Amino acid sequence: MIDRQARLAALARHPEFRRGAREMVGVALGIGAWGLVTGVAMIKSGIGLPMALTMSLLVFAGSAQLAAVPMIASGAPVWVVWATALCLNLRFVVFSAQWRPYLKHLPKAQRARMMFFAADLNFVLFMRRFPEPKPAPEQLPYFWGGVAVNACAWHLMSLLGITLGQRVPEAWGLGFAGTVALLTMVLAMLAERALWLPAMVAATAAVAAYALPLKLNVMVAIAAAVAVGSVQDHLRSAQAKATR
Amino acid sequence: MSSGEALLTILGLAFITLLTRVFFVWPERELPLPTWLREGLRYAPAGALLAVVAPDIVLTQGRLISSWLDPRLAGTLVAMLVYLWRRDMLSTIVAGTAAMLVCRLGLGW
């Protein structure tokens, strides 16, 4: 126990822990606003305080929670709620493929613990900080620094939302802050020009296919991005060969 | 939905989220992926994030917004401009959200 505490303290004192936390503070406002809106949505849906708290603590996935809450409230079949969350969370499967080279040397329990907390923004900031896919000792403190800020902002604001409930007017549209936070992340990723066209196509596909059930539009958009990106790569290498 | 059913739904959601997040991190051995997919996957994260974001910006209740005077469009535009100018996440989020609130509450769009 003392050993564990000493290790945690050493982790928190690491300069990379502070760096991870600091970089996350820049987007924590968006996370917090999103958490607040999710908390309000959960309690307003009438699923009750214990369920809202359980969901907030165990699920820890804003977009899936926001989509699931009205479905649970309206009594949708359980499998429909699960399938919808699965489609929305499909992006995490893609992220996990990119997390793998950084984490595969760690014990399984530790990997699972880290991935429970690995939300969208943790992924984007981590990949920006460590573009090269190989493990390094400073990665763990950086990761947990970001998690500390991200999870605190999320849970505190989600609890606040659950407590305030009706007193946060829906008309303010505060969830938009969360949308802008994710958008900012995408803009940061778009520094790589090869991503422009696939990203544009994915956005258009997600909107065009929105009427599909179970949030399948997210799956369509991911497939479109991968397809357009692959074709683009193919054309570029063909062109390179032709000019040589 | 009874509270037992709601609890089951929530536990399932927690499981699904953890499952998707550890999917490729969990197995000891490399999962076989065709080369084209492995290379194509690098286009997926930006596309996936935009797929979550874009409908929240241009759709209302599943319908394309019908007016350019929409607080979310203004907020998105301001956020993009501020990002290009400052390259800073906090100011981008603050400016985008503030622009949305000004248009919605101030101008009544």
Side-chain angles (χ1 to χ4, degrees):
Chain A
M1 196 64 200
I2 292 170
D3 181 47
R4 195 185 163 82
Q5 277 176 359
R7 266 189 297 144
L8 277 179
L11 186 75
R13 268 199 306 272
H14 197 289
E16 282 293 330
F17 183 92
R18 230 166 296 151
R19 176 164 180 176
R22 202 177 46 234
E23 291 184 358
M24 190 59 81
V25 166
V27 287
L29 197 69
I31 302 294
W34 214 10
L36 182 75
V37 170
T38 308
V40 171
M42 284 193 295
I43 204 69
K44 274 190 185 171
S45 74
I47 60 171
L49 187 63
M51 288 301 157
L53 288 175
T54 314
M55 191 167 189
S56 185
L57 288 171
L58 289 187
V59 182
F60 193 52
S63 55
Q65 276 170 252
L66 274 181
V69 159
M71 299 175 123
I72 296 177
S74 70
V78 175
W79 73 268
V80 173
V81 182
W82 286 346
T84 304
L86 190 63
C87 284
L88 269 173
N89 281 346
L90 207 63
R91 64 185 191 282
F92 293 128
V93 174
V94 175
F95 294 171
S96 79
Q98 303 200 4
W99 279 116
R100 181 177 171 86
Y102 299 91
L103 305 177
K104 63 180 175 195
H105 66 288
L106 297 171
K108 271 197 162 178
Q110 192 178 356
R111 276 183 260 164
R113 207 160 49 230
M114 288 174 78
M115 284 302 103
F116 175 79
F117 289 104
D120 299 287
L121 301 180
N122 302 91
F123 171 79
V124 180
L125 289 177
F126 186 93
M127 295 301 157
R128 205 177 54 159
R129 171 79 184 83
F130 304 104
E132 202 156 325
K134 59 182 185 196
E138 64 270 25
Q139 285 169 358
L140 286 182
Y142 180 87
F143 177 85
W144 286 113
V147 165
V149 171
N150 184 52
C152 282
W154 172 265
H155 284 306
L156 288 178
M157 293 307 280
S158 172
L159 284 179
L160 188 68
I162 292 173
T163 323
L164 290 177
Q166 309 291 345
R167 271 162 285 177
V168 179
E170 226 162 273
W172 290 2
L174 279 182
F176 186 71
T179 306
V180 178
L182 284 185
L183 180 72
T184 312
M185 290 288 137
V186 178
L187 290 175
M189 291 170 127
L190 290 185
E192 193 185 341
R193 223 165 227 263
L195 293 179
W196 288 12
L197 189 62
M200 287 294 297
V201 172
T204 315
V207 172
Y210 193 78
L212 288 177
L214 310 176
K215 297 278 176 194
L216 278 167
N217 66 323
V218 176
M219 199 189 282
V220 170
I222 294 176
V226 171
V228 171
S230 304
V231 169
Q232 195 178 263
D233 280 348
H234 191 75
L235 288 178
R236 193 162 303 151
S237 62
Q239 208 174 25
K241 254 181 229 155
T243 51
R244 212 180 296 146
Chain B
M1 202 177 270
S2 72
S3 65
E5 217 178 329
L7 185 63
L8 176 75
T9 313
I10 289 170
L11 291 179
L13 286 176
F15 176 74
I16 287 169
T17 302
L18 190 60
L19 181 79
T20 51
R21 285 192 182 152
V22 299
F23 194 86
F24 282 108
V25 171
W26 186 255
E28 284 309 326
R29 283 195 300 161
E30 218 64 46
L31 291 183
L33 279 184
T35 321
W36 67 267
L37 186 58
R38 194 177 290 278
E39 282 171 7
L41 271 184
R42 73 188 185 94
Y43 297 103
L49 285 177
L50 265 186
V52 175
V53 171
D56 283 347
I57 294 175
V58 300
L59 298 180
T60 304
Q61 316 255 302
R63 282 174 173 279
L64 208 56
I65 47 177
S66 51
S67 158
W68 291 106
L69 295 183
D70 188 282
R72 288 166 300 165
L73 286 186
T76 305
L77 187 68
V78 168
M80 286 167 83
L81 290 176
V82 170
Y83 181 79
L84 290 176
W85 173 40
R86 302 283 301 272
R87 304 274 160 170
D88 172 66
M89 298 191 174
L90 183 59
S91 44
T92 304
I93 296 170
V94 171
T97 309
M100 184 278 294
L101 285 174
V102 166
C103 292
R104 177 160 286 167
L105 303 176
L107 304 175
W109 284 5

